[in-house]
Amino acid sequence: MEESERRARLVEWFDAGHRDLPWRRTGDPWAIWVSEIMLQQTRAASVVPYWTRFLERFPTPAALAEAPLDDLLGLWAGLGYYARARNLYRGAQQVVALHGGVVPREREAFAALAGVGPYTAGAVLSIAFGQPEPLLDGNVIRVFTRWDRIAADPKAPATQATLWARARALADGPVPGTLNQALMELGATLCTPRAPSCLLCPVRAGCAAAAAGDAELYPRKAAKAVRPREVYVAGLVVDDAGVWLARRPDTGLLAGLWELPAVAGDAPGALAALGLHAEGEGREITHVFTHRHWTLHTYAATGRPSGGDYTDFRQVPLKALDDAGLTGPALKALHAWAVTGAPRRRGAGRHR
Ligand code: SF4
């Protein structure tokens, strides 16, 4: 199938009935940028309420740049992958400092902003500004490797070069933003990892894997990473004034977020290192990060926490927990102990 025909079919299919997502109804580059950052690790349906609340609170890069980081982290609680939020914050500050608060439309300037990788640059520049910029995400990689039955590791540099060249050639036509969205939509709705709906696919005639009947073999699966396991004991100190929380260091995993005071170990006596005394039976929480696995033995405790690697401690009223910038494991622990006021952690999946 010719590139021009493939392009035309994709755009026609997308225009005929794509999912109605709110960021598709705007041309505002800031709103689109925010949506693309949120969508990187989270499903579209989960992103909608976060995106809506975020833009009500921070309608412009300047509104975010002027706000305290904790306001942003509180709004982000439950979305996970907090490095995205911190980068967006820095990116907004750079837009204000370097570009007068206006999202730059030149590729070099936009791609230089914090947290803007090749994917985000391609998405925002093509969708918001109509520029013929390519993009590649997990969905698009799946589509491309199936079209050409690419059996090589999609993460290998040579394969990446091939895939980017493919994306560039496709985007180099009319309505590149629609074309890029159509590609991602195809991967999210029809060209799914399992049981792709090839019979409904607008570009089936040009798909080698569909012709061979082996689409599910692509892309090649990467070997699963072994996640190191870490074990902590955490103390839940709660009274009429609220829950004691500890602020994590400003760098590293979950930087700057608040959690129940915890130390490495699995015996309740380890909490003495933080000035706490555990009482009664513990409750176990597990949490899986991209690169590690946590087991958290949580105990009701007494005392006033101090010490450890924490940068701060504070007692937060239950009704203020919603805006406290809690870690995911802390949310789980509060729910395990039925501490009311803790926000629900919403499901986060990979990709759209
Ligand atoms: S024909 Fe099937 S495998 Fe090929 S792009 Fe379409 S949905 Fe994916």
Side-chain angles (χ1 to χ4, degrees):
M1 185 185 284
E2 292 285 322
E3 211 73 327
S4 57
E5 185 182 352
R6 204 190 293 262
R7 202 183 283 131
R9 286 189 185 202
L10 281 166
V11 168
E12 188 184 340
W13 169 78
F14 184 76
D15 283 343
H18 57 71
R19 289 175 298 171
D20 182 28
L21 297 166
W23 44 87
R24 289 183 175 158
R25 291 182 229 126
T26 176
D28 175 7
W30 171 240
I32 291 169
W33 180 8
V34 172
S35 75
E36 290 301 336
I37 298 297
M38 289 184 170
L39 285 165
Q40 279 172 19
Q41 307 285 353
T42 310
R43 293 182 192 286
S46 303
V47 163
V48 170
Y50 285 95
W51 181 84
T52 306
R53 262 184 318 219
F54 185 102
L55 286 161
E56 278 166 13
R57 172 73 181 81
F58 309 119
T60 62
L64 178 61
E66 289 159 6
L69 177 60
D70 275 352
D71 283 15
L72 167 61
L73 296 179
L75 259 178
W76 206 272
L79 265 181
Y81 300 92
Y82 287 88
R84 296 181 298 175
R86 280 193 196 82
N87 279 330
L88 188 58
Y89 188 61
R90 282 177 40 225
Q93 290 176 326
Q94 291 167 335
V95 167
V96 171
L98 305 174
H99 305 289
V102 178
V103 178
R105 56 191 306 142
E106 301 74 29
R107 183 183 173 87
E108 206 173 316
F110 186 72
L113 298 172
V116 176
Y119 165 79
T120 309
V124 175
L125 294 174
S126 65
I127 297 170
F129 297 122
Q131 296 179 18
E133 292 287 345
L135 59 74
L136 213 52
D137 73 348
N139 285 319
V140 179
I141 288 172
R142 187 164 56 255
V143 171
F144 285 174
T145 54
R146 288 173 175 180
W147 281 356
D148 296 336
R149 293 179 85 212
I150 296 173
D153 177 0
K155 293 204 169 103
T159 326
Q160 281 281 310
T162 304
L163 295 169
W164 275 107
R166 167 62 112 172
R168 205 168 296 117
L170 265 179
D172 190 15
V175 290
T178 309
L179 187 277
N180 281 337
Q181 290 184 85
L183 273 175
M184 292 189 285
E185 185 81 349
L186 185 72
T189 59
L190 297 185
C191 198
T192 47
R194 298 273 156 269
S197 306
C198 299
L199 291 177
L200 302 174
C201 179
V203 288
R204 179 165 56 109
C207 179
D214 62 0
E216 286 195 12
L217 296 182
Y218 306 93
R220 202 188 83 167
K221 307 282 174 296
K224 277 217 159 132
V226 179
R227 297 187 177 96
R229 304 179 91 82
E230 298 172 10
V231 182
Y232 298 94
V233 54
L236 173 67
V237 184
V238 57
D239 61 24
D240 289 348
V243 183
W244 274 100
L245 297 176
R247 188 170 190 269
R248 294 180 60 84
D250 289 326
T251 55
L253 182 70
L254 305 173
L257 294 177
W258 294 82
E259 65 180 10
L260 299 184
V263 285
D266 57 5
L271 284 173
L274 297 174
L276 300 181
H277 177 71
E279 297 178 333
E281 291 289 309
R283 294 181 191 178
E284 187 180 300
I285 307 298
T286 58
H287 193 85
V288 180
F289 296 95
T290 314
H291 298 299
R292 68 188 85 189
H293 180 289
W294 273 14
T295 301
L296 209 57
H297 298 282
T298 60
Y299 289 86
T302 55
R304 184 182 173 131
S306 61
D309 293 334
Y310 293 118
T311 56
D312 197 5
F313 296 89
R314 71 177 180 193
Q315 198 168 18
V316 177
L318 300 191
K319 60 180 179 351
L321 285 173
D322 219 3
D323 300 318
L326 294 166
T327 65
L331 288 172
K332 281 187 184 173
L334 290 169
H335 282 291
W337 286 91
V339 174
T340 52
R344 277 260 155 234
R345 185 167 196 278
R346 291 170 180 83
R350 298 187 69 77
H351 308 298
R352 291 165 195 244

